[in-house]
Amino acid sequence: MSSEIVATESLSCSYREGRVLEDISFQVERGDYVGIVGPNGSGKSTLIKALLGLVSIGTGSARLFGTPLSGFRDWHKVGYLPQSLHLVNPVFPATVHETVGLGLLSLKCFPKRLNRDDTAKIDIVLDELGISDLKYKLIGELSGGQLQRVLLARAIVNNPELLVLDEPTAALDPETRGRFYTMIADINRTRGVTVLLVTHDSGAIGEHASKMLYLDKKLLFFGSFDQFCCSAEMSSLFGEHSQHLMCHRH
Amino acid sequence: MNLLEILSYGFIQRALLAGTLIALLCSVLGVFLVLRRLSLIGDGLAHVTFGSTAIALALKFYSVMSLLVTMPIVLLASLGILKLTEKGRLSGDAAIGLVSALGISAGIILASVGGGYNVDLLSYLFGNILSIRSEEVVIAALLCLGVMLMLTLYYHELFAISFSDELAKVSGIHTSFINALLVLLTALSVVLAMKLVGIMLISSLLIVPAAGALQLARGFKVCIMLAAVQGCSSVLIGIIVSIMANLPASATIVLVNLLFFAAACTIRRFIYPAHSN
């Protein structure tokens, strides 16, 4: 079994305003926990969206699980967690149970139907994330932290091999944020799930990431966390937080 | 006239049956449209139906036969709205407004060229459910069956795109196809609903049951069921009240619908006071 999970070759993306990503090439292996960092507007979210087929790739290519993106059909292998506040309509009438169930659709053929086994899977993941008591709550009634865990449950209920997270804790308080990142690290370690995490949270990266991808429209660094700690890029990105970042690891 | 006497008339039975079927379609589709912020698509497509009906009448296609002209035009217009939204750098409401303006202006010009407005065309402005014919009831039943079948088969995909297009795509759902399906089914329902409430009030049949259900529903399926109950009840009560009180059926149906909505808002304030503001 190939260990390549995500790969890009000379990938470039443009919006109307101009080029957002230029000549990005890297490869993520099975089990990696990759922290994607860079200044605001550096193209981090665009890179994630390009890898998931949510924005068009200008030139170059991307592969998921060794398959070119245009031909990729195994979406059940992928879990995706965007910034929740941008995502959820507060009047949307779905319960937590129904919302998590959406994560199972990638496993289903037409006509998609959820059965008792699926209900059991939803109950198990809700239990694992400690949110069983929210099962029948409407998503509009949840706090930011609860909503984030529900969306994480939706992303992992199908047992994905790759978990992609785009600034998932932007709206959370520091304590909830810490718990959330510990949860992601557990999923990475215990299930062997490959993690791609876009974040500004140096603490989370320092504590958990095995690799770093530093981006500012171009790829400035891709390698192990330890290499990144010794590089000039870390100081330029994190400045005074550099020490803090390293302290988490050592 | 008492209730039993009213129900004994064939034209009223046809109106009640066709009205309930159309209300069922519109209220279920309305939940998806409201949540996808496409609430006004009904209005836009109704205006296109007006224009296409003018074309049908100019071509001497009357009554049921006019559907042969209106259906394809309205289906194309619905896809046009979708394409304008996706590719035309326009928001959904602007795309609807554009297609709507085209439909209504084409209708007015054609009616004018064809010798002024006639009764057939005006009946589409305000609807006339009590004049519905047996063959129109059959068409309504068949289309209702087809649309409900599609909604059942694609329920989870429609639920997923209503929740989030982005997440639906990463779940492997063909969002372009499901979006197209939703607007096509809406177009079919709008053409049918024209006879019930007319152009002026058609969007209320799509929006108000969904808006009422959203006040009380605790769950997506429950929301769809509540919207269907409100939509069908409004039509049944509206038609009967309009006959008993000698009022226009279309406006009465819409007012009953709005009363249900007001009741739902009031009930919500008592049941969920913490979430009412």
Side-chain angles (χ1 to χ4, degrees):
Chain A
M1 189 163 52
S2 164
S3 66
E4 177 197 298
I5 301 294
V6 178
T8 65
E9 276 165 27
S10 306
L11 183 142
S12 298
C13 287
S14 302
Y15 291 141
R16 290 187 192 103
E17 303 80 42
R19 188 153 279 199
V20 185
L21 293 174
E22 202 170 334
D23 197 25
I24 308 284
S25 300
F26 67 94
Q27 185 171 323
V28 175
E29 309 286 330
R30 189 174 296 279
D32 283 349
Y33 187 134
V34 182
I36 301 176
V37 293
N40 286 332
S42 58
K44 303 184 293 293
S45 293
T46 305
L47 174 63
I48 290 291
K49 288 184 175 176
L51 293 175
L52 297 173
L54 296 173
V55 297
S56 312
I57 293 173
T59 56
S61 63
R63 290 192 303 272
L64 285 178
F65 298 89
T67 306
L69 203 54
S70 54
F72 184 72
R73 299 285 176 269
D74 298 331
W75 288 106
H76 60 275
K77 293 182 176 176
V78 181
Y80 173 48
L81 178 55
Q83 284 184 48
S84 65
L85 285 185
H86 295 283
L87 179 83
V88 175
N89 174 356
V91 302
F92 201 89
T95 61
V96 165
H97 195 271
E98 286 177 317
T99 305
V100 175
L102 286 173
L104 291 166
L105 296 184
S106 55
L107 295 165
K108 302 287 173 183
C109 299
F110 178 80
K112 296 180 188 290
R113 289 285 169 268
L114 299 186
N115 53 34
R116 279 186 191 169
D117 289 346
D118 298 319
T119 304
K121 281 182 194 167
I122 297 168
D123 289 339
I124 289 168
V125 79
L126 290 177
D127 198 37
E128 273 178 11
L129 298 184
I131 47 174
S132 296
D133 53 327
L134 304 178
K135 189 173 172 180
Y136 297 113
K137 279 220 167 207
L138 294 181
I139 51 166
E141 297 171 357
L142 304 178
S143 69
Q146 289 171 333
L147 181 58
Q148 203 55 274
R149 277 191 282 173
V150 169
L151 294 178
L152 177 62
R154 195 211 71 89
I156 64 170
V157 68
N158 55 338
N159 283 321
E161 294 174 37
L162 169 66
L163 186 56
V164 182
L165 306 109
D166 187 2
E167 298 198 41
T169 59
L172 304 186
D173 60 76
E175 197 186 324
T176 316
R177 206 181 296 162
R179 278 205 302 271
F180 181 83
Y181 284 124
T182 306
M183 224 180 272
I184 301 296
D186 283 347
I187 291 167
N188 172 248
R189 269 194 305 270
T190 57
R191 298 189 185 193
V193 173
T194 307
V195 174
L196 290 188
L197 168 69
V198 171
T199 183
H200 287 292
D201 192 326
S202 57
I205 298 166
E207 208 167 339
H208 306 296
S210 61
K211 283 185 180 169
M212 295 296 288
L213 191 155
Y214 180 23
L215 194 70
D216 192 359
K217 297 191 177 171
K218 291 182 177 178
L219 185 62
L220 299 179
F221 180 88
F222 180 70
S224 73
F225 178 84
D226 293 335
Q227 285 172 326
F228 184 70
C229 283
C230 303
S231 68
E233 283 82 6
M234 186 181 80
S235 307
S236 74
L237 177 64
F238 290 103
E240 62 190 49
H241 296 297
S242 301
Q243 193 63 41
H244 174 68
L245 183 74
M246 293 175 78
C247 285
H248 269 85
R249 179 57 60 97
H250 302 292
Chain B
M1 207 162 27
N2 64 34
L3 188 60
L4 282 178
E5 204 178 334
I6 289 172
L7 295 176
S8 66
Y9 289 106
F11 74 97
I12 292 174
Q13 290 167 0
R14 286 196 296 276
L16 290 172
L17 179 60
T20 308
L21 292 171
I22 294 164
L24 178 67
L25 284 185
C26 288
S27 44
V28 171
L29 282 167
V31 173
F32 297 107
L33 296 174
V34 167
L35 290 171
R36 286 194 62 66
R37 295 188 168 91
L38 284 169
S39 301
L40 289 177
I41 198 168
D43 253 350
L45 293 176
H47 290 163
V48 174
T49 312
F50 179 75
S52 57
T53 303
I55 296 174
L57 295 178
L59 295 171
K60 314 280 184 215
F61 282 86
Y62 299 109
S63 191
V64 178
M65 295 304 283
S66 68
L67 291 175
L68 293 174
V69 177
T70 54
M71 282 281 185
I73 293 176
V74 179
L75 289 173
L76 280 175
S78 66
L79 291 177
I81 289 172
L82 201 62
K83 279 282 165 227
L84 278 173
T85 312
E86 285 173 358
K87 312 270 183 197
R89 296 175 70 173
L90 282 177
S91 61
D93 56 349
I96 290 167
L98 205 79
V99 174
S100 171
L102 176 68
I104 203 87
S105 53
I108 291 168
I109 288 172
L110 278 167
S112 169
V113 170
Y117 302 101
N118 55 44
V119 176
D120 277 342
L121 198 53
L122 284 178
S123 73
Y124 282 92
L125 281 177
F126 303 105
N128 191 1
I129 188 70
L130 296 177
S131 71
I132 201 159
R133 300 167 190 212
S134 300
E135 59 266 33
E136 287 173 317
V137 178
V138 173
I139 290 172
L142 289 173
L143 280 178
C144 182
L145 194 69
V147 174
M148 290 310 284
L149 180 68
M150 296 304 274
L151 287 175
T152 309
L153 289 173
Y154 288 100
Y155 166 77
H156 279 104
E157 287 91 336
L158 287 163
F159 176 23
I161 63 158
S162 305
F163 185 77
S164 160
D165 239 11
E166 208 171 82
L167 289 179
K169 269 183 194 161
V170 182
S171 292
I173 290 168
H174 297 290
T175 52
S176 306
F177 169 72
I178 300 299
N179 275 318
L181 181 73
L182 179 62
V183 295
L184 286 172
L185 295 179
T186 305
L188 284 174
S189 305
V190 164
V191 174
L192 281 177
M194 288 285 290
K195 194 80 181 176
L196 184 62
V197 290
I199 289 170
M200 312 301 283
L201 297 170
I202 209 158
S203 61
S204 64
L205 219 56
L206 289 161
I207 298 169
V208 184
L214 283 170
Q215 306 305 312
L216 298 175
R218 297 199 63 80
F220 196 72
K221 274 185 185 159
V222 178
C223 186
I224 288 176
M225 283 189 266
L226 282 178
V229 169
Q230 180 180 329
C232 295
S233 307
S234 301
V235 166
L236 292 174
I237 295 169
I239 289 174
I240 290 168
V241 168
S242 72
I243 292 165
M244 292 176 104
N246 197 22
L247 296 167
S250 58
T252 313
I253 289 168
V254 174
L255 280 181
V256 173
N257 230 329
L258 289 168
L259 283 175
F260 271 115
F261 172 71
C265 291
T266 310
I267 293 168
R268 179 186 170 83
R269 294 190 84 82
F270 285 109
I271 300 180
Y272 317 120
H275 303 288
S276 292
N277 296 319

